[in-house]
Amino acid sequence: MRLPEDERGVTVQIGAILLFAILVIFLSTYQAYVVPQENKAIEFQHSQAVQSDLVTVRNSILSAAGSGAGRPESVKLGTRYPVRAFFVNPPPATGTLKTNKSGTVTIANATYAGSNPETKDFFEEDNVLNYTTKSLVYEPQYNLYNTAPSSVLEYGLLYNDFGSVETVPAITDQKLVTNQSGNPTITLVTLNGTYFQNGVGATAIDPEVLSGPYDSEQTIELTGNDRAPITITFPSRMSAGRWENSTSLDPPNNPHVKDVERANGRVQVTLNATYNYTFRAARVGVGSKTESPDPAYITTDAETATVGETVTFEVRDKYQNLVKKNVSVTMDPPSIVGEDVKWTGGDGRVSFEFTGTAQNATARITNNPAPAEYVDFDVKPAREEPNGGVGNDTSPYTVAWNTSWIVNNNNGIQYSSSNNTLVIDPDTAPDPISVTANVTQNDDSLAGVFVDYASNSTGIVTGFSPSEATTDETGQAIVDMGWNSGSGATTIYATAGGSDNLTVKTVSPGAIKSPPSIDSVSVTATGGSGKITVSAGLSDPDGDLKNATITVVNVNTGNEVYTTGIPSVSGGSDSFTREIRIDKKQEYNVTITVYDQAGASVSESRTVST
């Protein structure tokens, strides 16, 4: 017996197969189109987050350069996709953060506008300054966001590099040429070191100040001129046009910038020569193999030193910051406490205490003869204090020609005080003539001070031997002055901190006459009356007495209380007597001065009590 056929289950099976096919198609479509779009959006969001991280890194680097207060910051290199139970994700997206060698930043035509002589030497020696630097670059390795830019940090500017398409400045602006509190400012921050990290997770950047910070007393002023304005030239992935039009270097809006252009494959910024520019620079290290810059020059605030004084010297690098390396400094001559070679500490400073005087003492960066790498100065003697101690008096030296000594120690010489002239008789004056200047400080004679002698021509005065001498315990520095007879006059100079000048001329043979003399002096007081009687006998070998004066000074107060002229004296021999009434019960110094017709004079003093 044959059973009847039943086909009701076929429809169910076919329906199940169709439903499964639809599900497969849906899942395949979702995997092929939706999952990639969602993952691409995740990568885009990560790209935005990385730029935010890099802005934080940039600010930390600038903070380290400016104040030394940089701190570690993290950058999330890559991203992971959400777990999908029925779908397949690509491997996590990774990223690379690394340093790339950018090249050299060149600052040209910069002239130092300050007064520090060693800084001036440095800029005269290196009119073109070169600073090597690197850029910090983030490169994503996304699976889907294929047009994602690389992010580049250089010279304080963070921008996006879309490869051959374009470069676009990111959130930050440039720092090269700005206006800081009304002052045109050049700010150069270079990067040094080797950094490379690749992966998905976060990595840390810890800025290290290798030269700086620049917000300190080391900032200087630079200037250019219309014919040779300051230029800043540097390599960059971003075009000169982008630097000019997409940052604050735009000349119409930045009065300090004259032009931005491409020059030999690099960006060149030409500054407006109207301004002086504050120059701030720093080197910041990231990663490993960081290196502080070498020393560039040595300087000190002290133009002179004093025996017993400690002077501090600063060794700076070309960023104008104190070096952080240990640098050897040699002192010559070594009239100092301790060794003549010392090393700077981490603050770039070294100190020497002086034990002896010296002229043109030299503090030098060891074994380097470049002019900017040594500093010359004088070491002066310490002033003796009344109690026998030593003081470091920094008041100016007083230098004065000792004309009385010159006249008294040479024949045929006369000094005219009316026109400050030393007159030489060619017949009787010696050749050479011994001359000297006295050096004092606060009226105290100074020993061990170098005095330079010079003249403004070689007509009458032919020179000094030696041209410099050291003062003795009386404050004198005696040298020989050569001379020729002739017409006219020559000015001679004595210099030792302060200076003094004296006119020298010759006269016809026999024209110089002998000075007058005071042969006798009598100064008496009538007890308790306040009356003083002054008498003097005068003479002149040439018979040309002219006049005399009497000056009375109170010994206790130092005040001049009386002066009078005696015009009646004349001839070759004369005398006078004068009665003077002044205060009682005081002590006085009475000075008599006699003059001849040639202007020569002589004085004598007596002390009397009323």
Side-chain angles (χ1 to χ4, degrees):
M1 179 177 174
R2 185 178 178 183
L3 295 174
E5 294 182 0
D6 188 354
E7 297 180 353
R8 289 175 297 176
V10 174
T11 302
V12 174
Q13 292 172 348
I14 293 173
I17 292 172
L18 289 174
L19 287 174
F20 181 75
I22 292 171
L23 179 62
V24 169
I25 292 172
F26 171 77
L27 293 176
S28 299
T29 302
Y30 195 93
Q31 176 69 52
Y33 295 100
V34 178
V35 170
Q37 291 301 318
E38 290 180 348
N39 288 344
K40 185 176 182 180
I42 291 170
E43 292 175 350
F44 178 80
Q45 292 170 1
H46 174 262
S47 177
Q48 299 300 305
V50 164
Q51 290 185 32
S52 179
D53 289 346
L54 291 175
V55 169
T56 305
V57 170
R58 175 255 192 190
N59 293 340
S60 180
I61 289 174
L62 292 181
S63 179
S67 64
R71 61 183 183 182
E73 299 291 350
S74 64
V75 177
K76 189 178 180 183
L77 297 176
T79 187
R80 299 180 185 276
Y81 309 107
V83 176
R84 294 180 170 91
F86 300 105
F87 303 100
V88 178
N89 284 323
T94 62
T96 301
L97 185 62
K98 62 182 179 179
T99 51
N100 279 352
K101 184 177 181 181
S102 289
T104 301
V105 181
T106 301
I107 299 177
N109 304 324
T111 301
Y112 173 57
S115 59
N116 184 293
E118 289 74 48
T119 305
K120 183 177 181 181
D121 286 343
F122 169 73
F123 277 91
E124 287 180 349
E125 183 179 325
D126 293 306
N127 184 252
V128 176
L129 302 178
N130 293 310
Y131 300 86
T132 59
T133 187
K134 294 184 176 182
S135 57
L136 187 65
V137 180
Y138 172 78
E139 294 178 345
Q141 288 90 45
Y142 294 132
N143 296 299
L144 299 161
Y145 182 23
N146 297 322
T147 59
S150 298
S151 295
V152 182
L153 174 61
E154 57 186 14
Y155 321 117
L157 176 70
L158 178 64
Y159 61 87
N160 289 330
D161 181 7
F162 289 88
S164 60
V165 181
E166 63 176 346
T167 53
V168 179
I171 300 170
T172 70
D173 198 3
Q174 63 86 28
K175 299 288 289 183
L176 279 173
V177 184
T178 57
N179 191 302
Q180 300 290 324
S181 302
N183 296 319
T185 302
I186 300 170
T187 302
L188 177 63
V189 179
T190 65
L191 293 181
N192 177 263
T194 300
Y195 189 92
F196 184 92
Q197 289 293 330
N198 174 267
V200 178
T203 186
I205 290 280
D206 189 2
E208 174 191 6
V209 181
L210 303 175
S211 175
Y214 56 64
D215 277 348
S216 63
E217 59 190 27
Q218 275 74 47
T219 55
I220 62 171
E221 294 289 318
L222 300 180
T223 186
N225 57 67
D226 290 333
R227 290 181 298 175
I230 297 174
T231 60
I232 307 172
T233 309
F234 53 91
S236 178
R237 290 191 187 186
M238 195 163 71
S239 68
R242 279 291 186 183
W243 275 96
E244 180 176 16
N245 299 320
S246 300
T247 75
S248 58
L249 288 179
D250 181 19
N253 298 313
N254 189 331
H256 312 308
V257 177
K258 182 179 180 181
D259 190 24
V260 182
E261 60 186 342
R262 202 75 180 175
N264 298 321
R266 302 197 297 169
V267 179
Q268 179 170 288
V269 180
T270 302
L271 302 188
N272 191 329
T274 306
Y275 301 94
N276 283 3
Y277 294 86
T278 298
F279 179 61
R280 312 185 306 177
R283 176 187 281 187
V284 178
V286 292
S288 60
K289 299 180 181 179
T290 59
E291 185 177 4
S292 297
D294 292 328
Y297 66 97
I298 184 171
T299 185
T300 180
D301 290 335
E303 296 181 359
T304 59
T306 304
V307 172
E309 179 184 6
T310 298
V311 177
T312 299
F313 299 87
E314 296 181 348
V315 179
R316 299 182 185 177
D317 56 34
K318 63 183 178 181
Y319 292 79
Q320 305 307 310
N321 300 315
L322 296 172
V323 296
K324 297 184 179 297
K325 293 181 175 181
N326 290 329
V327 179
S328 173
V329 176
T330 301
M331 181 61 63
D332 181 34
S335 300
I336 55 174
V337 175
E339 299 294 329
D340 60 335
V341 178
K342 293 186 178 181
W343 294 82
T344 62
D347 63 351
R349 294 183 172 93
V350 63
S351 297
F352 291 90
E353 180 182 348
F354 296 94
T355 59
T357 60
Q359 187 178 38
N360 293 330
T362 301
R364 182 189 307 276
I365 298 176
T366 304
N367 299 326
N368 201 318
E373 302 200 8
Y374 66 86
V375 53
D376 288 334
F377 58 98
D378 293 337
V379 182
K380 299 178 179 179
R383 179 173 61 85
E384 293 186 1
E385 301 288 1
N387 61 3
V390 174
N392 293 331
D393 195 333
T394 58
S395 56
Y397 291 173
T398 299
V399 182
W401 286 101
N402 192 336
T403 53
S404 297
W405 187 96
I406 297 172
V407 170
N408 293 334
N409 286 272
N410 297 277
N411 293 325
I413 303 294
Q414 190 176 71
Y415 174 69
S416 174
S417 59
S418 61
N419 55 9
N420 190 36
T421 299
L422 200 68
V423 182
I424 302 174
D425 184 340
D427 272 358
T428 57
D431 186 13
I433 298 170
S434 295
V435 297
T436 185
N438 282 24
V439 179
T440 59
Q441 187 177 51
N442 295 332
D443 297 327
D444 295 329
S445 296
L446 291 179
V449 177
F450 288 91
V451 181
D452 289 320
Y453 293 98
S455 66
N456 68 345
S457 72
T458 56
I460 294 175
V461 176
T462 59
F464 297 88
S465 179
S467 61
E468 60 182 24
T470 306
T471 57
D472 58 21
E473 64 277 1
T474 67
Q476 294 190 140
I478 302 172
V479 297
D480 290 333
M481 181 182 75
W483 60 278
N484 286 323
S485 60
S487 60
T490 295
T491 302
I492 58 176
Y493 304 90
T495 304
S499 64
D500 191 24
N501 60 73
L502 178 65
T503 301
V504 178
K505 71 175 184 178
T506 58
V507 295
S508 302
I512 293 182
K513 298 181 179 181
S514 300
S517 63
I518 301 175
D519 301 324
S520 62
V521 174
S522 173
V523 179
T524 59
T526 302
S529 67
K531 182 175 74 172
I532 297 176
T533 302
V534 181
S535 300
L538 316 174
S539 64
D540 186 274
D542 304 308
D544 60 353
L545 289 171
K546 182 179 181 181
N547 57 34
T549 61
I550 301 172
T551 303
V552 182
V553 175
N554 188 308
V555 173
N556 296 321
T557 65
N559 295 328
E560 182 180 299
V561 298
Y562 181 87
T563 183
T564 187
I566 313 294
S568 58
V569 298
S570 61
S573 178
D574 208 337
S575 63
F576 67 85
T577 299
R578 288 289 187 276
E579 288 187 355
I580 302 170
R581 290 193 175 274
I582 49 181
D583 291 343
K584 304 175 185 178
K585 299 181 180 180
Q586 298 289 327
E587 186 176 19
Y588 297 97
N589 188 49
V590 181
T591 300
I592 301 169
T593 304
V594 60
Y595 300 87
D596 65 10
Q597 299 292 338
S601 64
V602 65
S603 299
E604 285 199 28
S605 298
R606 298 289 188 272
T607 301
V608 64
S609 297
T610 58

